[in-house]
Structure formats: structure tokens, C-alpha cells
Amino acid sequence: MVSTVLALKGEAGAGFTEVAHFDERPQVGWQGSTLVAREHRGHRLGAALKIANHVALREHTAVERIYTWNAVENSWMRLINERAGFAIWARVGLWKKRLA
């Protein structure tokens, strides 16, 4: 199942966030995409969306913890995650190879 929160500005989407959770491990959620349209950034909408989704999950599902990730260079989302109460659990190294 996916829990999605959408922010609208009139009839247009301003931002959304989603968390997936599965019957096999009902206590675990996997934070998916969070996106805020460029013209709505800088007003803490991404953080508000995430928090609203987490509150809804706590009230209506068995989800007890949520895992997320983001790129180290995405300082905005790192700050949002810290403010939302996420703590670093692991660091992952990715490798890249360019093919000629």
C-alpha cells in the first residue's frame, strides 16, 4: 500500500510525498518521493507534507518506523529529514562507471 499526501494550489498540484508499507512487515514504512513544485519551494511545504503523512500513518496503520534516503548533496531534503525526526541509520557508497 502507498500512503500519499498531496498539496493543491487551486486545482494544480503544489507538492506530494508518499510512503509505501506492506502487509509482510506492517510496522515498516519506506519513504518514497517528496516533490514540491519549484514555485512553491522555500515555504517548508515538503516538511509539512512529510509530517502530515507520518501522522496519518501513525493514526491509521501499524507503521512504527519509516526508512528514507537522500543524496548527500541534497542539503534541503537532508534538513527536512532532520527536522522530521529522521536519524542517520546507515551510509551507502555508490559506484559509477562511464561506458565509452
Side-chain angles (χ1 to χ4, degrees):
M1 302 174 77
V2 177
S3 175
T4 303
V5 173
L6 173 66
L8 297 173
K9 176 75 173 186
E11 293 185 14
F16 79 96
T17 191
E18 60 188 7
V19 175
H21 50 103
F22 305 96
D23 291 339
E24 295 80 14
R25 293 183 68 198
Q27 72 280 11
V28 178
W30 300 93
Q31 179 72 55
S33 299
T34 299
L35 179 95
V36 174
R38 187 171 309 279
E39 62 271 23
H40 299 291
R41 293 180 185 165
H43 304 285
R44 297 188 177 169
L45 180 57
L49 289 165
K50 275 191 163 187
I51 297 301
N53 203 358
H54 298 172
V55 168
L57 284 163
R58 185 176 56 231
E59 292 177 357
H60 302 290
T61 73
V63 172
E64 297 173 355
R65 64 184 175 279
I66 300 170
Y67 293 97
T68 192
W69 72 275
N70 62 272
V72 68
E73 66 270 13
N74 189 343
S75 59
W76 291 104
M77 189 53 66
R78 285 191 359 246
L79 184 60
I80 287 171
N81 285 335
E82 289 172 9
R83 287 181 176 164
F86 285 96
I88 294 174
W89 176 69
R91 295 188 188 271
V92 176
L94 300 175
W95 296 65
K96 175 175 78 173
K97 177 181 178 180
R98 292 190 185 268
L99 300 178

